[in-house]
Structure formats: C-alpha cells, structure tokens
Amino acid sequence: MSYVDEVIEQVVKQNPAEPEFHQAVKEVLESLRVVVEANEERYRKDALLERLVNPERQIKFRVPWIDDQGQVQVNTGYRVQFSSAIGPYKGGLRLHPSVNLGIIKFLGFEQIFKNSLTGLPIGGGKGGSDFDPKGKSDREVMAFCQSFITELYKYIGADTDVPAGDIGTGAREIGYMYGQYKRIRGVYEGVLTGKGLSYGGSLARTEATGYGLLYLTEELLKMNGMELTGKTIAVSGSGNVAIYAIQKAQQLGAKVVTCSDSTGWIYDEEGIDVAALKEIKEVKRARLTEYKNYCPNSEYHEGKGVWSVKVDIALPCATQNELDLEDAKILVSNGCIGVFEGANMPTTLEATEYLQANGVIFAPGKAANAGGVATSALEMSQNSERLSWSFEEVDTKLKEIMINICHNISDAAERYGAKGNYVVGANIAGFEKVVDAMNAQGIV
Ligand code: NDP
Ligand code: 2IT
C-alpha cells in the first residue's frame, strides 16, 4: 500500500467519529501524492506524514459560567495546537453548538497550509467551544468568554499561540477575552487578533477575509482570461466573511443576488443591500427575515437554496459541507464559471470533483479565505512594533498577499502537471514550506 494510503487509513482508524477531520486529511494527502511519491523513502523513514496529521498538542477543558437565571451552565472548550513548524500557532476560535474535537481538528489542519500560503511566519491552530452566543445576553457572553480564557490563558501568548475570531466569535467576544487575559496575565500583548481599534486591533481586519476573497477571485478570473465586473454572484452566509465579500464584490462591479443564514436565504434581484445587511446582522443581531423590511422587492425563502439561483460565480461563506454534489450539478447546469470558498471546506469532496471535471474554476478555502489570517499576522506585526498602519497600507498588503497566493498555487499546480487545479496547487504550495521547516528542525 502506498504511504499516502497507509496514513489516510491510520487517520480514520485512530480518530473515529471525526468525519470532517478525515475529509480534510484526505483532500490534502491526495493532492500531495505526487510530492510524497517523489520522496517516499525519506518521508516514510522520518514519519513525516504521521507527524503532519498528529497535532502537536490538543487541549480540552471545562467552561462553567452562570446564566441570567442564576443557573450554572457547562460547555466544553478546545484548542488544538497543530503545527508550529513555521511560526506560533495561529487560528480562530469557533463558538457554535456543533463544535466538537473533530471539527476543531479539521480546521486546525487546514490552517497549517493556509497560514503557510500567506507567506507570513504563522503556524496552524484552532479552538472554540460548543457554546452558542445566539440569543444570549451580553452579560452571559461575557461570563462565558471570561471563563473560557481563565483556562485557555495558560496555553496562549503573543509568541506561542494567537487565537482570533471565527463563526460566533466577533469583536464583542474578542474584547471580553482580551480583557480577561490582560487581567490574569498583567501584560498588554498581541495575544488575540481581531481586537477593537482602540486597543490594538488592525484597520481592515474586519473586512479582510471577504475583501481578500474578492481580490483572489478577481485575479484568478483574470489569469483565466475573464473579468469580475458585470458578473452575477451567489453568496451564502451573512456573517463577517459574507458581508465584506458582498461589499467588495459590489465595489468591483459585480452584482450579488443572495445571502443566507442558518434558517433561510434572500434573493434580491436588485443586488443585496449591504447597509441593511450590516444593520440586521452586526447591530441588531437579528434574523434575515428582517431584510424584507428594508428591501420589499426581495424574496425570503426558508431552508437551503442559494445555489439554485442562476449565477456566474458562487462564493460559499457560511460553513463546512454546505455545497454538495446536487448543488454543484445545479450550478454547472446554470452556467456557473467559478466557485471560490470564503468558508472553510464548504464544498464536499464529491462536489469539488464534479465542479473541476466540468471546467469550473475552483479555489479552495485555504487559499481563497487566507486574507483573514494574513491580516491577523499583520495585526501581530503592528502590535509588536507598537504602531498602527493606515487602512490603505493594510489593504494594499492584503491585496498583494492574495495576488501572490494566486500565482503560487497556479505555479505549484503546473509544476506537478495539474495546471488549473488550484486544490492541488494550494496543498502543494502550502506543504512545501512546512515540510522544509520540519526537515530543518529535526524530529520534533
Ligand atoms: P459568522 O459567525 O460571522 O457568520 C457565519 C454565517 O454562516 C452566519 O450567517 C451563520 O448563520 C451561517 N452559518 C453558520 N453555521 C451554519 C450552519 N451550520 N448552517 C447554515 N449556516 C450556518 O462567521 P464568519 O463569517 O467569521 O465565518 C464563516 C466561515 O468563514 C466559516 O467557515 C469560518 O471558518 C470561515 N472563515 C472565517 C474567517 C474570519 O476571519 N472570520 C477567516 C477565514 C475563514 P446563523 O447566524 O444563522 O448561524
Ligand atoms: O479560518 C480562519 O482563517 C480564521 N478564522 C481566521 C484566523 C485568524 O487567526 O485570523
């Protein structure tokens, strides 16, 4: 059996009931097959792949907090410190009832390669909890965040592990976590990114993932002889990534006609009204059913459905496995030319293969949404030098990083005989730097 197949089999056996982690490992290792085969003897002897798929450390802890009725609630907290080969662990904290160890491991594994693709010195990690911020009062969210950090603070720091936002963790949660960390440790350091602007946050971090996704989309279309201006786009999600993806798409001359949340979706033929969306989601923390009050000509539909609309481009920006084979078939039959992942692993393996086989340009999340973590690394730089850069400075750097990613993943794919396959390109380009650092640092 080949080394790659052996390690995939081991991962499935040793990590039962973690299907998302299996999926992420399979996607990466399948892409690396040609690189691994060229170095099989050495990699096998050094157990390189076994070291790659086993986190350096995983921390699981109890998070007790008191709700507004005086009832004690208990959640589970996680931090998976996957790889520090090229820098301190870096990655977000997901707060969502679906969170379990397997989901955090899939996200942490993806993060290794994504962070490497940014070209910046950041290792891979991820964390979170099964806590659901939805419907909680600010005081309850604060109580949870303080309790979460009261345990996690032992394992993080500006030079060791720097968490950030993800699903359910935005500026409010990062603020409460930062305050508690500072109080316990008594140090004012860049231990979290996505901070508020008044206490060390970076301009453009809020916008970075969505903006970066569109910079990459524009460049990859250009590299394939097409342009973004005038295109019709379906976006899923209506959180941090989706909102700023829609905003930048509109600034670049495209029309976004959909967005969604976990209960339903909007079709707005006139183009999504970003100001209304921001007020509903960022200010009121309300449901998308409210959108009709702002844009009476729009349609609200219950359940799933954004991929059923006829569009040129699809930008999944909500969550994992939200675009399956059936969705991919509809997109292709509607003439879709590109799928660019704003979320982490939103497209199933079968859907990805179908899209690629039908000539759709497909950019995996680890490349397409890397603008968020890249800008987090820029926030770390600003914190270290105790300076703040202007919005334009950060945005210019973000754009450069995304354009570099496009060329690096395209070149890597071509070098290994898979021209235009950006999944292969992203996995190989991300892996090359990590493996080089692992080889240089000995068996650790
Ligand atoms: P938010 O919490 O701001 O928004 C998430 C959005 O996705 C909401 O509209 C939410 O709907 C929807 N959603 C979440 N879970 C589900 C689900 N199980 N089914 C259907 N819809 C769901 O998160 P972000 O925008 O930050 O994150 C979105 C994606 O982007 C995630 O995959 C994340 O890992 C990834 N990402 C985020 C980055 C960042 O900087 N924030 C960087 C790179 C990737 P509802 O409100 O109803 O739950
Ligand atoms: O998935 C991701 O890259 C993020 N949630 C952002 C991580 C970060 O450290 O900014």
Side-chain angles (χ1 to χ4, degrees):
M1 197 190 275
S2 81
Y3 184 34
V4 162
D5 291 321
E6 246 174 59
V7 174
I8 291 177
E9 204 178 280
Q10 256 181 46
V11 165
V12 173
K13 208 164 131 199
Q14 291 173 353
N15 305 272
E18 294 180 1
E20 293 85 2
F21 181 51
H22 304 165
Q23 183 182 341
V25 168
K26 275 182 202 160
E27 188 224 83
V28 170
L29 295 195
E30 288 293 350
S31 304
L32 297 179
R33 201 178 277 279
V34 355
V35 186
V36 174
E37 276 166 7
N39 300 278
E40 180 140 350
E41 204 179 327
R42 170 154 193 211
Y43 285 3
R44 225 184 232 282
K45 190 152 177 274
D46 288 350
L48 187 99
L49 295 184
E50 288 86 338
R51 286 187 289 137
L52 196 68
V53 299
N54 274 290
E56 287 177 23
R57 195 171 299 102
Q58 50 194 48
I59 300 143
K60 183 177 176 195
F61 51 97
R62 182 174 70 200
V63 189
W65 56 279
I66 301 174
D67 72 17
D68 286 346
Q69 283 69 49
Q71 173 66 47
V72 175
Q73 300 286 342
V74 180
N75 287 103
T76 305
Y78 303 90
R79 186 73 182 165
V80 175
Q81 298 180 327
F82 225 114
S83 168
S84 62
I86 65 168
Y89 311 106
K90 183 84 196 85
L93 296 170
R94 178 172 292 190
L95 300 182
H96 193 271
S98 63
V99 163
N100 58 41
L101 184 60
I103 288 191
I104 300 299
K105 278 166 70 181
F106 116 63
L107 291 162
F109 185 68
E110 289 280 293
Q111 202 82 43
I112 303 171
F113 307 96
K114 181 196 305 194
N115 293 4
S116 169
L117 284 173
T118 67
L120 300 167
I122 38 178
K126 199 83 185 189
S129 173
D130 56 359
F131 174 77
D132 187 359
K134 240 181 258 147
K136 304 286 191 301
S137 69
D138 281 353
R139 195 211 60 79
E140 288 177 320
V141 170
M142 181 170 74
F144 168 82
C145 290
Q146 290 181 340
S147 180
F148 183 80
I149 285 295
T150 300
E151 187 59 29
L152 189 66
Y153 89 93
K154 298 167 191 166
Y155 309 100
I156 60 177
D159 293 314
T160 47
D161 184 356
V162 183
D166 193 79
I167 291 178
T169 307
R172 174 182 60 170
E173 291 73 19
I174 293 291
Y176 292 145
M177 290 182 192
Y178 191 77
Q180 184 72 352
Y181 180 85
K182 179 166 62 78
R183 186 179 186 200
I184 298 175
R185 292 292 291 264
V187 288
Y188 211 105
E189 60 171 2
V191 63
L192 291 158
T193 58
K195 298 186 290 299
L197 298 179
S198 56
Y199 64 95
S202 174
L203 283 160
R205 174 60 188 90
T206 305
E207 294 84 354
T209 312
Y211 279 21
L213 171 65
L214 267 298
Y215 295 147
L216 174 134
T217 301
E218 191 181 38
E219 185 69 12
L220 283 183
L221 286 175
K222 202 161 99 191
M223 287 163 66
N224 284 277
M226 289 176 258
E227 61 170 21
L228 182 63
T229 312
K231 296 289 184 292
T232 303
I233 301 183
V235 167
S236 65
S238 52
N240 174 265
V241 179
I243 289 173
Y244 294 96
I246 297 171
Q247 186 173 72
K248 183 52 76 177
Q250 291 177 347
Q251 285 172 10
L252 295 173
K255 182 158 100 168
V256 179
V257 292
T258 70
C259 65
S260 66
D261 63 18
S262 54
T263 37
W265 59 284
I266 299 289
Y267 174 70
D268 190 341
E269 201 191 354
E270 293 163 14
I272 297 292
D273 180 337
V274 177
L277 193 60
K278 286 175 80 165
E279 185 162 318
I280 296 165
K281 288 294 172 185
E282 294 183 343
V283 182
K284 295 185 173 168
R285 297 180 185 276
R287 310 307 301 162
L288 277 180
T289 38
E290 293 236 346
Y291 186 84
K292 230 178 164 6
N293 301 335
Y294 296 80
C295 304
N297 294 332
S298 65
E299 298 168 17
Y300 176 80
H301 301 269
E302 292 269 320
K304 263 190 82 171
V306 289
W307 314 129
S308 64
V309 174
K310 183 173 165 47
V311 289
D312 303 308
I313 291 169
L315 303 178
C317 297
T319 194
Q320 64 273 2
N321 293 328
E322 53 158 317
L323 196 166
D324 63 18
L325 183 57
E326 287 314 304
D327 300 320
K329 286 181 178 167
I330 298 170
L331 285 169
V332 168
S333 70
N334 280 336
C336 173
I337 56 164
V339 175
F340 305 85
E341 296 187 324
N344 285 308
M345 210 169 76
T347 314
T348 65
L349 287 175
E350 299 73 28
T352 304
E353 279 161 22
Y354 185 85
L355 292 167
Q356 289 179 316
N358 283 278
V360 176
I361 303 171
F362 181 85
K366 61 172 75 71
N369 69 40
V373 74
T375 307
S376 277
L378 300 179
E379 183 170 326
M380 289 165 71
S381 298
Q382 293 169 75
N383 292 164
S384 295
E385 62 177 16
R386 304 213 184 279
L387 289 174
S388 300
W389 306 340
S390 68
F391 188 97
E392 290 67 31
E393 204 173 344
V394 179
D395 191 40
T396 302
K397 286 189 164 69
L398 166 64
K399 194 166 183 183
E400 267 170 28
I401 291 168
M402 299 314 294
I403 290 176
N404 275 336
I405 291 176
C406 292
H407 294 278
N408 289 342
I409 65 177
S410 174
D411 292 350
E414 214 167 328
R415 262 192 286 128
Y416 284 92
K419 191 171 185 309
N421 186 334
Y422 302 124
V423 173
V424 167
N427 287 328
I428 292 180
F431 173 75
E432 281 178 332
K433 183 174 170 190
V434 173
V435 77
D436 190 62
M438 286 174 76
N439 285 334
Q441 292 172 24
I443 305 303
V444 290

